[in-house]
Every structure is written in C-alpha cells, then in structure tokens.
Amino acid sequence: MPPPADIVKVAIEWPGAYPKLMEIDQKKPLSAIIKEVCDGWSLANHEYYALQHADSSNFYITEKNRNEIKNGTILRLTTSPAQNAQQLHERIQSSSMDAKLEALKDLASLSRDVTFAQEFINLDGISLLTQMVESGTDRYQKLQKIMKPCFGDMLSFTLTAFVELMDHGIVSWDTFSVAFIKKIASFVNKSAIDTSILQRSLAILESMVLNSHDLYQKVAQEITIGQLIPHLQGTDQEIQTYTIAVINALFLKAPDERRQVGVESNVDILDCPLTEMANILAQKQLRSIILTHVIRAQRAINNEMAHQLYVLQVLTFNLLEDRMMTKMDPQDQAQRDIIFELRRIAFDAESEPNTSSGSMEKRKSMYTRDYKKLGFINHVNPAMDFTQTPPGMLALDNMLYFAKHHQDAYIRVVLENSSREDKHECPFGRSSIELTKMLCEILKVGELPSETCNDFHPMFFTHDRSFEEFFCICIQLLNKTWKEMRATSEDFNKVMQVVKEQVMRALTTKPSSLDQFKSKLQNLSYTEILKIRQSERMNQEDFQSRPIMELKEKIQPEILELIKQQRLNRLVEGTCFRKLNSRRRQDKFWYCRLSPNHKVLHYGDLEESPQGEVPHDSLQDKLPVADIKAVVTGKDCPHMKEKGALKQNKEVLELAFSILYDSNCQLNFIAPDKHEYCIWTDGLNALLGKDMMSDLTRNDLDTLLSMEIKLRLLDLENIQIPDAPPPIPKEPSNYDFVYDCN
C-alpha cells in the first residue's frame, strides 16, 4: 500500500551528528516538525532553529514553500533566519577585519534566500550596507595595500549582498542617498577597479535607472558615455555586457520631451532627451566601438550580450517613431522645401521662371508634371501624400537621404521610370512611402524590446544611418523587382509582397554588413522567388489527389508517433530555463528534464548556464508525471496573472506555460524561445495523452509526411537498397580540376 500523499520521506543533517531519516507529515505545523527534530538531538530552544535545503541553494523551508519538499530530499537543521540575520548583522560590524570579511562572505551567500533577506532587511540591514559603502570603501582600499590582499574582496562581498537583497523587491530603490549613488558611480568611473566590484556597480546602476525615475536623473548626472566607453574597449565580455545594459537602461528611461539643462551641466551627461542622447552616442562613436570590440571580437557572443545588443538595436530604431507618427503639415514651408529639393535634384531645374501671372501658371504646370514623374499620388500637392501615419515624415526623410547620399542611383531610378510608358512606371514617391511603412513593420519600430529576444542584426551596427541605408538598398531592390515583374500600377501590392519576401529571406541569413545584405538580395531575384514559390506550390498540389490523401491518412499516425518520441527524447535531454525578474541582468537559471522512463520530472536551480548534460542527481526536486493535472499556457499561467512587468510583455506571454499538480501547486516556465516552448508543451501534452497542437508539430508533420510520401512514390522496382551507406571515396591526388567561378 503506497504511503499517504501528505507523508514525505527525507534525510536531515546536523553538524557533528549522523543524518536522520524522517517522515514529515505535511499537515503538521512546521514549528512542530522542527521541535521534533531538535528533541531527537536534545537541542533546546527549538524556536531558534529552522530547516533548509542541503544543496547549493541553502534556501530555508517555510510554510509557503514546504510543499516543494519531495521524497528523498536532503534537509539541514540550522539556525533560524531571524537568528542568522541578527548574528550576521553584528558580525559585519566587528572590529576584526578577518571576522568582518568572513561575515560579509556569508551574507552575500545567504542573501539569495528571500526568507533570510526579509529578516536581515527588518534589522535595517540595507542601510547598514549602504553606510559601509559610503564611508568605508577608502579604508578598505588602504587596508588592501597595507595588509592582506583579501581585504579587496570586502567591498565586492558588500555589493554582492546588496544586489541580492535588493533583487527580492522588498525595499524601494527610491530610498537611497545621493552620496551612495556617487560612491557607486565612482567605482564605474575609475580606470582601474576590481572586476567583481565593477560588475556589481554596473548592475546596481542599471537597477536604479530601471526602477526609479528620480534615481535615473541622479545616476545620469554622475555617469558619462565617455566614462563607460573604456569598459567596452576591454576584453571581458561580462563587463561589456553590464556596460551596454546600463546604456540601454539610460536610453530606455530617457525622457521624450526636452528638459532645461542648467548652465553648469556637463554636455556629456545622459540626463537629456532621447534625441539629444542619440546625438551624444553618435559623437562618442559608440556604434563603431561596439562593432569593433564586441561584435567583431575574436570570440563568440553569449546569449546575454546578444540580448543587450538586440535591446540597443530596438531602442535605436525607436528613435524613428516620432518622425514615423508625425504627419506632414501642407502649410509648413520648410517641409514643402524638402519636396522641392527632391524635384530639383532629380530634374536639375536651372532657373526659376518669372513671377508674373502667366509664368506662375507655367510653373504650376511644370511642377505638376515633375511630381507625377516623381511618383506622387497627389500631383498638385504632394505634401498630402505624407499625411498618413505610419510612415508620416519618416518616408520623406528617407527619400531626401537617398537623393542626397545616393544621388546617381536616385536620379537613375526617377528618370528610368519617367521615361517608361505610364502603365509600366514604378512610382518612386508612392513606393518610398509604402516601403518605409513596410520596413518599420519588419523592424517593429515603436515596440518595446522583448525580455527574452536575442535577435540582433550585426549589419545595423556598421553604419551611423543604418535605417536610411537599409531603405536605400531596398528602394533600389523594389525598382529592380518591378522591372523583373514587368509590373503595372495594378500590380503594386503584388510587387510589395515580393519585396517583403526578398527582404525577410535576406535578413534571416544575418548578414554581417549592408554590402553582404545587398549581395543576398542579388541572389533573391524575382525569378528565384518564383522558383521557391513554385516548388512550395507544387508540393502542395501533388498531395491533394485522392490516392495521395488516402496514403497520407494511413501513414500519419506513424509520423505523429515519431514526432511524439522526438519530443519526449528532448524532454529527457532537458532544458535550461532562465528565472526572469524585475532586474533581468542577474543570471539565475534552473533546469528541468524528464526521467528516461518518462515517469518523473527532475528539476532544480543552477548557479550558471550548463555546458553539456546535467545529471539527474544534481536536480534535487522531483515531480511525478502521474501527479500532473493539467498544462496551461499564456494568460492562464499563474505567474502571468501576477502583477508585474512580465504581464505586459506580449512575447514573454507567448513563451509562458505552467504544470498544475496536486491541489494548488504549480511549476512555472518561461521558455528561452518559441522552439523550446513548442517542444515542451508538445512533450507534456503527449505525456498526458493529449494531442500535440503546436505550430512546430504541424510543420514537422507536413515536412515528414512530404518526405515519406515522396520516398514511397519513388520508382524503385528492381533496385536493391543497401543496408549500409556506401563508403566515402578517398580524396583525389590533386584538385587541379576545381574551377574558381570568382
């Protein structure tokens, strides 16, 4: 007979004693269980003790998390959080530097636990740490030079403990003094500082900016781009990542409206509007420094760096949102002059006619004719073409940039089309407006960056005006595709669809430069797109006949079983999930995998992202598959119903899923990407005997069905298929027969 569900068998350790095997009744109060354990070792004052996990996390067991204890868990009897917090609060104020250093080291480790953190914060521990940072750092550095090198770790442990305590969200960031901010900023501004101190200082500044508008203003007055740039020029990718994270935070929180800057203000401070900050970033050549020292450095870019580069890319493109959503004022002469300039560059008007009434009519007629050649919809008043948002004035900005910086190409495009028959001319004005709108949609201009996305494009870091250059390449592509399609005005939308497909396919290859992007587009001509579409269409048409449909129905269960086994095998391999919180910069991971017999899910926290397979015995927590009641996704997940920033993020919502088990227990996930999300939701549904409904399953099913049917339809009569693959032939004696096409 199986044991009751409320009884959990665990092992409990106590220093200097043999571990005890116990059965814990989850219905009993936790204090009664601790008293029973203390009585077994003849320990008085059981209220001074607590239970904690014996693994590397050392988290305390509380009434809230006790349901996470599973059979076979190893626990440790230790001093209670309140006692531990009181002792450490006293020890870190010790006059002995060695004792203080050891206490700060313990505090940095224990502060990860929210139960301990709450007790330490209740003792006004945060204020004590900030006072130590404000007043004690100079003394620590002197001691480091005079006495032992280990004193250099004292500040590092202090800042680590501070970061961990603040990460729990118990204390508001608005409570810190200017002196503390100045001290943290001074560590970042120093040319030579310990790496661990610099990392934590940057992390603190990022959190201050993201969590408090008042602190943003104070931090922005202390940190300059010039002081951050040397950290990007180093070789430590972690420091570079933290530095870009700070820049992104300042960028994200910069005010939209211009604020008055005092006379004594530093021109280089980041306490400025978005546009002004963008100008400062350009002046400091931040883009070229990131390109040289980060993107093109001789090392792989890790996921966190990729995310920060993606965020910077999104924030940079979001600077275009204001122009994208600004309608043109037909009465604004300065804006009208831009249209005049486009006409002048294209047709090189030598001199203006006289202002007599007859000449005025002639001028209007000439302008109308030229505006028609430029491809505007409204030939009389082309300003009206730019009243739609998006793309608003951004389209006109792109057209002017193309005309000025690629003048020969601009004139060629305009004159080519003005000399064609009316029905075959590609309207430059209309095309530019629609293309700008399309590019904004592709790059998601105006949307906030995702919490989980790492999708940055290196080519956008190769030019200060990357969006404008992107437009210039694409408008020439559009003109080329229009000619290849021999399109007329009725085909305008079809041409735009082809151009969008060309651009999207080229972007998926992640070209490293704009020239490489242009080369990719050259290989994606309209003819090539037609071949791709025809191939896809033929595959679909071939499978619509009745005999093929019957064959498909016959073999579909085999394919679904194959997909199911692949999903379960991936769950057995396991996946590393990131713990997301209000301060994403902190890397916290946990791992989950299915047991080989498909009966138990093993999971547990990790110190860092794993390199290779994670063994079962390192994952302390278990969840029997038989206990799973349901799998929910998106808005139905408990952790998506909680208040917080994640709730508002659409992409995070699409990656969230939860396992519901027992009565009110759940295991919450946020997948690293859409592929892993599909793998896990499919695998869990397969374990529960439900259908796999993800997009990935549909795509895999279509692909595998197509392959299987093609194999079965091959004419293989009288052809013997070998059991083993043929041997690989030997290398030739020379390669003189190779011809280099380049």
Side-chain angles (χ1 to χ4, degrees):
M1 182 177 177
D6 294 322
I7 302 298
V8 183
K9 295 181 179 181
V10 300
I12 301 179
E13 299 175 344
W14 173 250
Y18 288 109
K20 285 188 173 185
L21 296 177
M22 285 190 63
E23 291 187 354
I24 293 179
D25 186 351
Q26 293 284 37
K27 291 181 179 179
K28 292 175 63 175
L30 188 59
S31 57
I33 295 171
I34 294 172
K35 184 178 185 305
E36 182 182 342
V37 175
C38 290
D39 291 344
W41 275 308
S42 302
L43 299 173
N45 302 320
H46 72 275
E47 62 273 11
Y48 293 159
Y49 294 92
L51 292 173
Q52 66 179 180
H53 287 282
D55 57 16
S56 57
S57 69
N58 292 328
F59 287 167
Y60 281 99
I61 304 298
T62 65
E63 291 290 353
K64 289 183 178 180
N65 64 22
R66 61 183 297 178
N67 287 329
E68 297 176 7
I69 302 175
K70 304 300 178 185
N71 284 318
T73 302
I74 302 175
L75 304 178
R76 181 188 299 118
L77 184 66
T78 184
T79 51
S80 68
Q83 284 290 107
N84 223 341
Q86 183 65 50
Q87 291 170 8
L88 280 174
H89 193 272
E90 295 170 359
R91 286 170 58 200
I92 62 176
Q93 300 179 73
S94 170
S95 58
S96 167
M97 288 298 145
D98 286 334
K100 178 177 285 193
L101 178 63
E102 195 63 31
L104 287 169
K105 184 178 180 181
D106 292 342
L107 179 63
S109 175
L110 285 168
S111 295
R112 292 180 300 165
D113 182 66
V114 65
T115 310
F116 169 84
Q118 183 68 69
E119 296 292 344
F120 188 78
I121 289 170
N122 290 343
L123 297 173
D124 209 15
I126 293 285
S127 297
L128 178 59
L129 291 179
T130 55
Q131 289 170 15
M132 291 171 64
V133 172
E134 290 174 22
S135 60
T137 50
D138 293 335
R139 186 157 59 97
Y140 294 162
Q141 290 168 8
K142 290 177 183 176
L143 285 169
Q144 182 181 2
K145 295 177 182 178
I146 299 170
M147 300 175 69
K148 300 177 182 179
C150 63
F151 283 111
D153 296 331
M154 193 172 292
L155 178 57
S156 175
F157 288 135
T158 305
L159 294 177
T160 301
F162 176 84
V163 169
E164 295 287 357
L165 291 168
M166 291 302 299
D167 194 39
H168 296 298
I170 300 170
V171 178
S172 170
W173 283 93
D174 289 309
T175 58
F176 298 108
S177 66
V178 175
F180 179 71
I181 297 170
K182 286 180 178 290
K183 185 62 72 171
I184 297 298
S186 70
F187 302 144
V188 174
N189 293 336
K190 285 182 180 177
S191 56
I193 191 76
D194 183 78
T195 301
S196 61
I197 295 173
L198 179 58
Q199 279 186 359
R200 286 150 184 78
S201 298
L202 288 167
I204 291 169
L205 291 177
E206 182 198 4
S207 293
M208 285 180 172
V209 171
L210 291 177
N211 290 285
S212 170
H213 178 70
D214 291 338
L215 288 185
Y216 158 77
Q217 294 175 314
K218 294 171 183 175
V219 170
Q221 292 171 354
E222 301 296 328
I223 300 294
T224 68
I225 290 292
Q227 289 159 333
L228 290 173
I229 280 177
H231 302 314
L232 292 174
Q233 294 173 319
T235 57
D236 189 323
Q237 191 171 114
E238 284 298 313
I239 295 297
Q240 291 175 326
T241 304
Y242 278 90
T243 303
I244 296 177
V246 172
I247 293 172
N248 285 340
L250 289 161
F251 214 152
L252 190 62
K253 295 298 179 179
D256 293 329
E257 300 297 328
R258 175 171 290 277
R259 291 205 304 267
Q260 294 295 325
V261 181
V263 177
E264 298 179 359
S265 295
N266 185 344
V267 177
D268 190 28
I269 63 173
L270 300 177
D271 185 17
C272 55
L274 274 173
T275 51
E276 192 173 326
M277 180 177 175
N279 292 333
I280 292 172
L281 295 179
Q283 292 169 8
K284 296 297 179 180
Q285 298 183 326
L286 179 71
R287 177 200 57 78
S288 60
I289 289 170
I290 290 176
L291 180 67
T292 303
H293 296 279
V294 178
I295 297 175
R296 292 182 176 172
Q298 299 300 314
R299 62 175 179 272
I301 293 177
N302 61 36
N303 288 338
E304 186 57 39
M305 174 60 84
H307 172 75
Q308 295 301 337
L309 290 172
Y310 153 78
V311 172
L312 183 59
Q313 173 185 291
V314 171
L315 295 177
T316 303
F317 283 141
N318 281 355
L319 293 171
L320 304 169
E321 183 182 13
D322 182 54
R323 295 292 284 173
M324 181 181 76
M325 300 307 294
T326 300
K327 295 181 180 181
M328 184 172 184
D329 181 1
Q331 307 305 318
D332 189 320
Q333 187 59 42
Q335 295 179 1
R336 292 169 62 86
D337 286 345
I338 298 176
I339 298 177
F340 293 150
E341 181 68 5
L342 289 173
R343 176 193 164 278
R344 185 196 66 77
I345 295 173
F347 303 112
D348 195 23
E350 295 179 358
S351 60
E352 295 295 332
N354 296 327
T355 56
S356 62
S357 59
S359 297
M360 185 66 71
E361 290 297 323
K362 185 178 180 181
R363 178 193 293 181
K364 286 183 178 179
S365 175
M366 180 178 64
Y367 280 6
T368 300
R369 185 186 69 246
D370 290 347
Y371 291 149
K372 182 179 180 182
K373 290 180 179 179
L374 280 170
F376 290 112
I377 297 174
N378 191 318
H379 306 153
V380 178
N381 185 8
M384 299 302 296
D385 287 13
F386 300 95
T387 55
Q388 179 187 357
T389 59
M393 287 296 292
L394 183 60
L396 188 58
D397 295 342
N398 284 339
M399 294 168 70
L400 183 63
Y401 181 91
F402 181 47
K404 285 191 171 182
H405 293 82
H406 300 271
Q407 192 171 111
D408 291 343
Y410 166 71
I411 293 173
R412 184 175 65 252
V413 167
V414 173
L415 294 184
E416 268 184 12
N417 289 291
S418 63
S419 62
R420 291 183 196 170
E421 298 177 25
D422 284 348
K423 65 177 183 177
H424 286 295
E425 65 180 7
C426 176
F428 172 73
R430 182 186 176 190
S431 298
S432 298
I433 293 168
E434 290 301 319
L435 179 64
T436 300
K437 181 179 179 181
M438 185 184 79
L439 297 182
C440 288
E441 290 173 355
I442 291 173
L443 297 177
K444 300 181 179 179
V445 174
E447 295 185 18
L448 286 176
S450 162
E451 290 279 351
T452 57
C453 186
N454 301 333
D455 188 25
F456 81 97
H457 293 275
M459 74 176 191
F460 291 129
F461 290 85
T462 61
H463 201 285
D464 289 327
R465 303 289 293 275
S466 59
F467 184 81
E468 289 87 345
E469 290 292 326
F470 186 43
F471 168 83
C472 293
I473 293 171
C474 293
I475 192 65
Q476 294 176 76
L477 168 72
L478 192 154
N479 189 63
K480 173 175 170 285
T481 302
W482 185 283
K483 288 190 291 185
E484 291 173 349
M485 293 178 67
R486 306 181 69 82
T488 63
S489 56
E490 288 81 9
D491 301 318
F492 186 85
N493 291 333
K494 293 180 182 178
V495 176
M496 293 304 298
Q497 290 172 4
V498 173
V499 170
K500 184 174 184 178
E501 186 173 348
Q502 290 170 314
V503 172
M504 293 293 287
R505 288 183 182 275
L507 283 177
T508 54
T509 64
K510 291 292 181 71
S512 59
S513 66
L514 289 164
D515 287 337
Q516 195 176 95
F517 173 69
K518 193 185 300 184
S519 299
K520 298 286 184 184
L521 291 176
Q522 290 293 331
N523 297 328
L524 286 169
S525 63
Y526 175 58
T527 305
E528 185 63 28
I529 293 295
L530 275 182
K531 288 179 181 178
I532 295 171
R533 288 182 173 181
Q534 186 177 11
S535 175
E536 294 173 350
R537 186 166 56 250
M538 284 179 64
N539 287 338
Q540 292 175 355
E541 289 174 356
D542 288 343
F543 294 145
Q544 300 307 313
S545 63
R546 183 175 176 181
I548 298 298
M549 294 297 291
E550 290 177 356
L551 178 60
K552 185 187 292 186
E553 290 177 6
K554 182 179 178 181
I555 64 177
Q556 183 165 316
E558 300 175 22
I559 302 297
L560 283 172
E561 182 62 27
L562 182 65
I563 295 172
K564 174 183 174 182
Q565 291 304 319
Q566 187 272 340
R567 300 293 192 264
L568 294 176
N569 289 339
R570 280 289 291 107
L571 264 61
V572 171
E573 291 177 15
T575 301
C576 179
F577 297 92
R578 183 188 295 276
K579 289 186 174 182
L580 288 181
N581 49 36
S582 59
R583 190 175 62 82
R584 187 194 187 280
R585 268 297 313 126
Q586 177 145 349
D587 291 331
K588 288 189 174 181
F589 303 94
W590 69 286
Y591 201 88
C592 187
R593 62 184 301 182
L594 181 66
S595 63
N597 62 7
H598 300 174
K599 291 186 177 181
V600 179
L601 284 173
H602 299 263
Y603 62 97
D605 292 340
L606 298 176
E607 293 296 325
E608 57 185 3
S609 182
Q611 303 296 323
E613 187 175 340
V614 177
H616 285 285
D617 53 10
S618 66
L619 304 174
Q620 300 294 327
D621 299 308
K622 300 178 183 179
L623 172 59
V625 173
D627 291 350
I628 299 177
K629 306 299 182 186
V631 176
V632 293
T633 61
K635 294 180 180 179
D636 296 328
C637 296
H639 58 315
M640 291 295 104
K641 294 178 181 177
E642 298 170 1
K643 293 182 179 179
L646 293 180
K647 182 182 176 184
Q648 307 301 327
N649 193 304
K650 180 182 176 182
E651 292 198 33
V652 171
L653 204 62
E654 292 175 349
L655 298 176
F657 61 98
S658 297
I659 295 174
L660 307 182
Y661 62 97
D662 290 344
S663 54
N664 293 313
C665 299
Q666 68 268 340
L667 190 60
N668 298 321
F669 299 76
I670 296 178
D673 52 48
K674 191 68 176 177
H675 182 268
E676 287 295 322
Y677 169 85
C678 293
I679 290 288
W680 274 85
T681 52
D682 283 344
L684 292 171
N685 281 323
L687 285 173
L688 299 178
K690 298 181 179 180
D691 292 336
M692 300 178 291
M693 304 297 293
S694 73
D695 294 338
L696 183 62
T697 291
R698 285 194 290 272
N699 292 336
D700 287 350
L701 181 61
D702 290 342
T703 302
L704 293 172
L705 271 175
S706 171
M707 291 173 59
E708 183 67 20
I709 289 175
K710 286 178 180 178
L711 286 171
R712 295 197 181 196
L713 294 177
L714 282 176
D715 185 9
L716 298 178
E717 187 176 356
N718 299 324
I719 297 177
Q720 186 176 0
I721 300 176
D723 295 329
I728 298 174
K730 294 181 180 179
E731 290 191 18
S733 58
N734 62 68
Y735 291 87
D736 295 342
F737 58 86
V738 176
Y739 178 73
D740 187 357
C741 297
N742 298 322

